Amino acid sequence: MPELPEVEHLRRTLEPQLVGRHVRSARLHRRDVLRKHGRCRGHRDDLLVGCRVERLQRLGKQLAIVSDTGRVVCVHLGMTGRLWCVAGGGRLADRRHVHCVWWHSPATDGGVDRLVFQDARRFGGLWAFPSIEALRDHRWSRLGPDAMDSEAGEIADRLGGTSRSVKAALLDQGLVAGVGNIYADEALHAAGIDPVTAANRIPPERLLSLCTTLRSILSRAVLAGGSTVRDYRDGNGQAGTFVSAHAVYGRAGEPCRSCGRPLATRCDSRTAGRTTVYCETYQHRF
């Protein structure tokens, strides 16, 4: 599932191609992919037709396309969602699971004229709102502060207030927005903390160090284009390269890069039911 770095890199690759462009028309191939105000099914007219794209805004793993009229379309990629641009005259190499296409103002230089949303497993989707305030009130209000844009101390305070395992706390989007399985495992290993340690039992200085490390890893991942494990591509169709920097994720049984012992794996309620890779020697439980 694309996490904060993948969505932030996506935002950065889409923004120069979309901002300032008018949405001429849109085609919705599956109506159940679009929700209006998060409740009822939306309509093609809710997809910013006739508007100019003013900016792209992100919170956690969600991306908002904000228009000059104030209307907004929020995009959640889910597990297999993709959002990318197509150059004028270009053909879609793969039309399977394409649920929505936007056509922009003519590109006289042969540049981008379409934005495509594709999602094979349909765990993602689109949400239409009349304003960014409505998006914040009805959808983003459920999310905690952004894991990369917030101060480490604010994140540490929120994590320190729960007795759940620190891995489960990091994955709770209501506590901190944007962290998923990849970057939770990577940050906990880098900080030397066992993932099943109760968050409120971690010494405050170690918890602050974890959150500082997390923000650093997220920033580095953004610059590397994110982690393409399977489906993720950016707005230009490029894969992310941060996989090569993974210390633990996807490396179960391989040597720990800190101590050389084989990396362990577990998946139970203490890790929020997610497969977790960690080092039993290097990562300490408090």
Side-chain angles (χ1 to χ4, degrees):
M1 179 181 293
E3 302 179 25
L4 186 157
E6 289 73 48
V7 179
E8 174 59 20
H9 182 70
L10 176 66
R11 186 191 69 80
R12 296 182 186 187
T13 56
L14 288 176
E15 196 166 56
Q17 304 185 76
L18 298 180
V19 170
R21 304 289 293 276
H22 284 84
V23 181
R24 291 190 293 120
S25 63
R27 179 176 296 169
L28 189 62
H29 295 278
R30 288 191 63 101
R31 284 197 63 195
D32 59 353
V33 168
L34 176 65
R35 295 287 185 272
K36 189 173 183 179
H37 295 240
R39 298 186 299 275
C40 60
R41 289 186 183 184
H43 185 268
R44 183 188 69 89
D45 293 340
D46 298 314
L47 292 168
L48 311 183
V49 175
C51 302
R52 179 175 57 82
V53 177
E54 185 175 84
R55 68 184 186 278
L56 272 65
Q57 193 168 327
R58 180 193 57 78
L59 178 58
K61 305 175 188 179
Q62 300 184 31
L63 183 68
I65 304 172
V66 185
S67 74
D68 59 341
T69 65
R71 292 162 56 195
V72 177
V73 169
C74 178
V75 182
H76 188 200
L77 298 180
M79 291 185 67
T80 58
R82 287 187 58 198
L83 194 64
W84 81 97
C85 292
V86 180
R91 295 176 61 85
L92 295 181
D94 184 2
R95 296 176 179 272
R96 294 175 301 171
H97 313 298
V98 169
H99 304 313
C100 185
V101 180
W102 292 263
W103 278 267
H104 300 288
S105 50
T108 56
D109 58 355
V112 168
D113 71 348
R114 277 165 291 169
L115 177 67
V116 180
F117 176 67
Q118 182 182 45
D119 186 7
R121 299 188 66 181
R122 299 207 309 274
F123 287 114
L126 309 172
W127 284 261
F129 292 92
S131 66
I132 191 69
E133 291 77 21
L135 167 60
R136 292 189 183 115
D137 290 344
H138 295 283
R139 187 165 176 83
W140 283 2
S141 60
R142 309 169 194 169
L143 302 178
D146 189 80
M148 190 173 71
D149 294 340
S150 303
E151 294 295 330
E154 180 182 3
I155 302 172
D157 288 344
R158 295 178 72 87
L159 295 178
T162 178
S163 59
R164 287 177 294 169
S165 73
V166 64
K167 172 68 181 281
L170 283 169
L171 295 180
D172 183 349
Q173 301 302 296
L175 279 181
V176 54
V179 183
N181 214 30
I182 296 174
Y183 299 104
D185 280 4
E186 292 298 313
L188 288 167
H189 180 268
I193 297 174
D194 189 302
V196 301
T197 301
N200 62 358
R201 297 194 63 178
I202 300 173
E205 65 276 8
R206 291 296 296 272
L207 199 55
L208 181 61
S209 177
L210 166 64
C211 296
T212 301
T213 299
L214 171 65
R215 293 176 74 242
S216 174
I217 289 173
L218 294 174
S219 297
R220 286 167 45 216
V222 171
L223 295 177
S227 299
T228 295
V229 177
R230 185 175 301 167
D231 300 289
Y232 170 75
R233 297 292 187 276
D234 68 17
N236 298 316
Q238 300 299 309
T241 62
F242 195 69
V243 171
S244 62
H246 289 178
V248 288
Y249 186 83
R251 298 188 62 244
E254 297 181 27
C256 172
R257 292 176 179 170
S258 297
C259 73
R261 298 288 183 88
L263 294 171
T265 183
R266 66 184 297 161
C267 180
D268 53 35
S269 60
R270 299 189 71 182
T271 59
R274 304 298 300 276
T275 299
T276 298
V277 183
Y278 67 108
C279 180
E280 294 174 306
T281 302
Y282 179 70
Q283 293 175 246
H284 304 287
R285 190 178 303 184
F286 298 92

